[in-house]
Amino acid sequence: MRIDVMGVEFDNITIDEAVSQALDLMREQRAAYVVTPNPEIVMAARENASLSDALAGADLVLADGIGVVKGAKILGTPLKEKIPGIDFAARLFSLLSKQNGSVFLFGAKPGVAELAAQNLLKQYPGLVIAGTNNGYFTDDAPILDRINEASPDLLLVCLGFPKQEIWMAEHTGALNVGLMAGLGGSLDVLAGVAERAPEKWQRAGLEWLYRLKKEPRRIGRMMQLPKFLFSVIGRRLGGKQHAG
């Protein structure tokens, strides 16, 4: 069952259910893909048809962020829980490592994917790193060839939105992978070049505030959160989306 939150339909599942479904999709070997929209992505999808279509075409749409969960609750259609993309990936890494499953890391600045690979191998013995590629490219063909040659169980696509969602939607038919997951800045965190919010901030649903505290330049992007909530409240009160 999917829940509509301002035009984006989210799977109403727990993280355990999401991981189980992801493993089922992986076994199908059809390059199914997972997206993890937060309020910023939901707002962007209202004005970007390609992004909206890519989200709608995903096999799993996970609520990455407390804002989406709160928005769904305000609308009277609550979601079971938030599912941070990096936590979802960690569960998959753990399970894949027990069966010598493979992952290809795609995205971020040069050198970051390689650092992330080193850390993953230390944390998840048994996990196979099928390959890496940074997110700076002008031609898809060589990257598609590398990924297909590696034929990973899991392909992490960390190009930032909307590029990663649109890229997955456009190339799903050309890839020999089990499952793709668009996970934004997760490679930076896995590589240790970016810091995730401490657990107490995560539990309080304040990861966004921690990131803003660490990176004040994100204020422009963070303003999408109140715009999202105003739109949700507008829809709830007026029966339609609030302008903006």
Side-chain angles (χ1 to χ4, degrees), residues 196-232:
R196 193 176 179 190
E199 195 170 328
K200 64 180 181 180
W201 291 71
Q202 296 176 39
R203 288 198 303 268
L206 294 173
E207 285 188 83
W208 62 273
L209 183 59
Y210 184 84
R211 287 197 297 269
L212 181 60
K213 177 172 173 285
K214 287 287 185 179
E215 301 178 70
R217 60 185 175 78
R218 294 174 63 97
I219 184 66
R221 293 180 60 180
M222 291 299 180
M223 288 307 295
Q224 292 300 313
L225 180 56
K227 286 179 66 176
F228 168 79
L229 292 174
F230 283 134
S231 294
V232 166

Side-chain angles (χ1 to χ4, degrees), residues 14-194:
T14 65
I15 190 168
D16 289 335
E17 292 168 337
V19 169
S20 177
Q21 290 188 32
L23 291 175
D24 288 341
L25 290 167
M26 205 177 290
R27 294 185 191 102
E28 294 176 12
Q29 284 291 314
R30 60 177 176 85
Y33 69 96
V34 183
V35 293
T36 58
N38 58 19
E40 185 180 5
I41 294 175
V42 172
M43 294 300 289
R46 299 173 71 188
E47 299 179 356
N48 185 327
S50 295
L51 173 60
S52 180
D53 289 344
L55 297 177
D59 296 88
L60 275 176
V61 183
L62 309 181
D64 186 345
I66 194 65
V68 170
V69 174
K70 287 188 177 297
K73 186 175 182 180
I74 291 169
L75 290 169
T77 52
L79 290 162
K80 291 181 180 179
E81 64 182 21
K82 70 172 181 175
I83 305 178
I86 195 164
D87 292 340
F88 170 74
R91 297 280 191 98
L92 290 179
F93 295 148
S94 180
L95 292 170
L96 286 172
S97 71
K98 295 172 183 176
Q99 50 195 257
N100 296 117
S102 59
V103 59
F104 192 108
L105 307 177
F106 173 33
K109 294 179 179 178
V112 172
E114 288 76 14
L115 278 175
Q118 293 173 22
N119 291 338
L120 287 175
L121 289 174
K122 292 175 185 175
Q123 190 172 356
Y124 303 100
L127 185 66
V128 176
I129 303 298
T132 62
N133 202 99
N134 66 60
Y136 291 73
F137 60 96
T138 55
D139 185 2
D140 287 321
I143 296 171
L144 295 175
D145 288 343
R146 289 191 66 190
I147 294 170
N148 284 334
E149 184 177 351
S151 187
D153 296 305
L154 176 63
L155 170 64
L156 289 196
V157 184
C158 301
L159 304 175
F161 89 91
K163 188 174 183 179
Q164 64 193 12
E165 290 81 12
I166 295 170
W167 192 92
M168 290 189 296
E170 289 181 344
H171 294 99
T172 180
L175 285 165
N176 180 26
V177 304
L179 181 71
M180 295 184 282
L183 296 178
S186 295
L187 276 183
D188 290 324
V189 176
L190 294 171
V193 299

